[in-house]
Amino acid sequence: MLTRKRVALNRIISPSQNFAEFIKFTAGLGLSQVELRNDLPGKSKIGDIIDRLKPVEALKISRGEGVKIITINALQKFNLPAKRETCLAELEQLLELCAAIECPALVLCPNNEKSDKRTPKQKYLDTVDALGDYGPLFIKYGITGYVEALGFGISSLASLPPIVGAIKASGYGCYRVLLDTFHHYIGPDDKSIFGMDGLGASYELPYTGLVHISGVEDDIPVEKFLDGNRVLVGPKDKMGNKELIQRLDTLGYQGAFSYEPFGPVVQKLSPIQLAAALEASLKYLGVK
C-alpha cells in the first residue's frame, strides 16, 4: 500500500508559489517531500532555487513544516563534452547548495538537441566519462546523482538500462537512476522490462533512486507527446501510470513517487484548485 510519506511534489507543479508557500502547500496535503528546480521562469541563478533566501532560512522553513527537500532538478546537458567545463563549475555550486539545505540528491539531465550528431556509442561513452568526471565532486559533498533518461527521439540518453551500465562503468557508487514514467512511455525501452516475471537482466530495479510521475490525457499520437501534455495522473491517463506504479511497488521499489506535471493546465491552477486535483489523483492511485 502506498502512503503519502512516499509521495513528493516537484516545484514545476506550481511555479507561481514562492519557496515558503510551496513548502507550506505540500505540508497541508499531508506530504513531506519536495523537489526544487533551477529552471523556473525568471529564475536562472543558483540563489533563485530557494528564492534568494539564505540556506539556513530555507532549511528552517522546510524543517518547520516537516518537509524534506529530496532533489534539486537539474544539471542540464551533463553528458555533452563541449559543456563539461561549464557543467563542472555549475555542479559544484549546486552540490554546495544541496549540502547546505540538507538535500540528498541532484538530478542530471542529458543533452536533448536535434543538432547532436554523435553516434549512439559515442553518446554512451561520453555519459560514462561525464559520470567519472563528476564522481569526485558528488563524493566530496556526500550527494547522490540521479541520472534521468529523456525519452524524446533527439535525446542522447533515452533508455534506462544503459544508465545502469554507465553508472557501473564510471566506477562510482554515488549515482542512481531517475525513472520518469512519461519518458519511459515515449522512449525506446520495451515495456516488458516491467513484465510479470520481473525486470530481468535488462534493468536492475535497485538502481532506481526516484520515480517521476505524470499523466497524458490528450488524444494524440505518442510521437507527439510533449512536456506540455503532462498533467496529474487520473482515470483518463493513457500511459498506464497506475499499473506501473503498483508494479514497481510490488517488485520492491521503496523510494518516492514525485509528481512532475509540466502542463499549463495544471500549473495555472490556484493552490485551492491544485490541492483538490491532487487529492483526486492520490485517491485514484490508492494512496492513503
Side-chain angles (χ1 to χ4, degrees):
M1 182 179 72
L2 294 179
T3 66
R4 295 187 185 225
K5 291 183 179 180
R6 291 181 62 193
V7 176
L9 298 183
N10 188 296
R11 200 175 173 187
I12 201 68
I13 199 171
S14 186
S16 63
Q17 293 192 63
N18 64 35
F19 176 85
E21 290 169 341
F22 184 63
I23 296 295
K24 187 173 182 178
F25 173 81
T26 301
L29 287 166
L31 306 179
S32 58
Q33 300 181 82
V34 298
E35 294 186 89
L36 303 183
R37 303 187 70 89
N38 63 349
D39 62 350
L40 296 181
K43 297 183 177 183
S44 60
K45 298 181 180 179
I46 296 293
D48 293 330
I49 295 171
I50 51 175
D51 294 0
R52 292 289 159 182
L53 294 168
K54 295 179 180 179
V56 67
E57 295 172 333
L59 191 55
K60 182 178 180 180
I61 291 170
S62 61
R63 282 178 173 174
E65 295 290 346
V67 173
K68 177 71 176 178
I69 300 166
I70 60 170
T71 77
I72 292 177
N73 190 335
L75 181 69
Q76 300 286 346
K77 303 182 182 181
F78 83 89
N79 62 344
L80 187 64
K83 297 282 293 184
R84 188 67 47 81
E85 186 174 345
T86 301
C87 281
L88 279 166
E90 183 182 358
L91 175 61
E92 183 140 31
Q93 291 181 305
L94 288 167
L95 292 175
E96 184 176 353
L97 178 57
C98 281
I101 59 176
E102 298 182 356
C103 171
L106 174 69
V107 177
L108 304 176
C109 285
N111 190 52
N112 185 52
E113 294 181 328
K114 189 175 182 179
S115 59
D116 191 344
K117 302 302 182 183
R118 292 176 293 168
T119 65
K121 181 179 180 179
Q122 191 59 54
K123 291 173 182 176
Y124 174 78
L125 293 175
D126 289 341
T127 297
V128 174
D129 287 345
L131 297 181
D133 286 349
Y134 303 148
L137 280 176
F138 277 100
I139 298 298
K140 173 184 175 181
Y141 286 94
I143 305 298
T144 300
Y146 287 166
V147 185
E148 182 172 13
L150 302 182
F152 299 120
I154 60 173
S155 173
S156 61
L157 190 61
S159 175
L160 296 173
I163 297 179
V164 176
I167 290 173
K168 291 180 178 180
S170 76
Y172 286 94
C174 55
Y175 299 111
R176 289 294 181 268
V177 178
L178 197 166
L179 193 168
D180 186 298
T181 61
F182 171 83
H183 287 294
H184 171 65
Y185 187 82
I186 68 172
D189 288 335
D190 190 309
K191 306 306 179 281
S192 67
I193 67 170
F194 299 113
M196 295 305 293
D197 295 327
L199 299 182
S202 61
Y203 181 68
E204 298 175 56
L205 184 63
Y207 274 88
T208 309
L210 180 65
V211 176
H212 277 170
I213 61 174
S214 58
V216 172
E217 299 179 350
D218 295 320
D219 190 16
I220 56 176
V222 174
E223 59 269 21
K224 294 187 179 297
F225 281 18
L226 298 173
D227 279 333
N229 299 111
R230 298 170 67 172
V231 296
L232 299 178
V233 182
K236 296 181 180 180
D237 175 37
K238 297 182 180 299
M239 299 194 299
N241 270 274
K242 183 175 183 178
E243 293 74 19
L244 179 54
I245 290 168
Q246 291 174 342
R247 183 67 185 142
L248 292 173
D249 184 57
T250 299
L251 288 170
Y253 172 67
Q254 298 179 354
F257 293 93
S258 183
Y259 280 96
E260 193 192 35
F262 284 78
V265 67
V266 176
Q267 294 178 342
K268 292 180 180 180
L269 293 175
S270 70
I272 293 176
Q273 293 170 323
L274 179 58
L278 277 164
E279 288 290 356
S281 180
L282 291 168
K283 182 178 181 180
Y284 168 71
L285 292 173
V287 177
K288 304 298 182 180

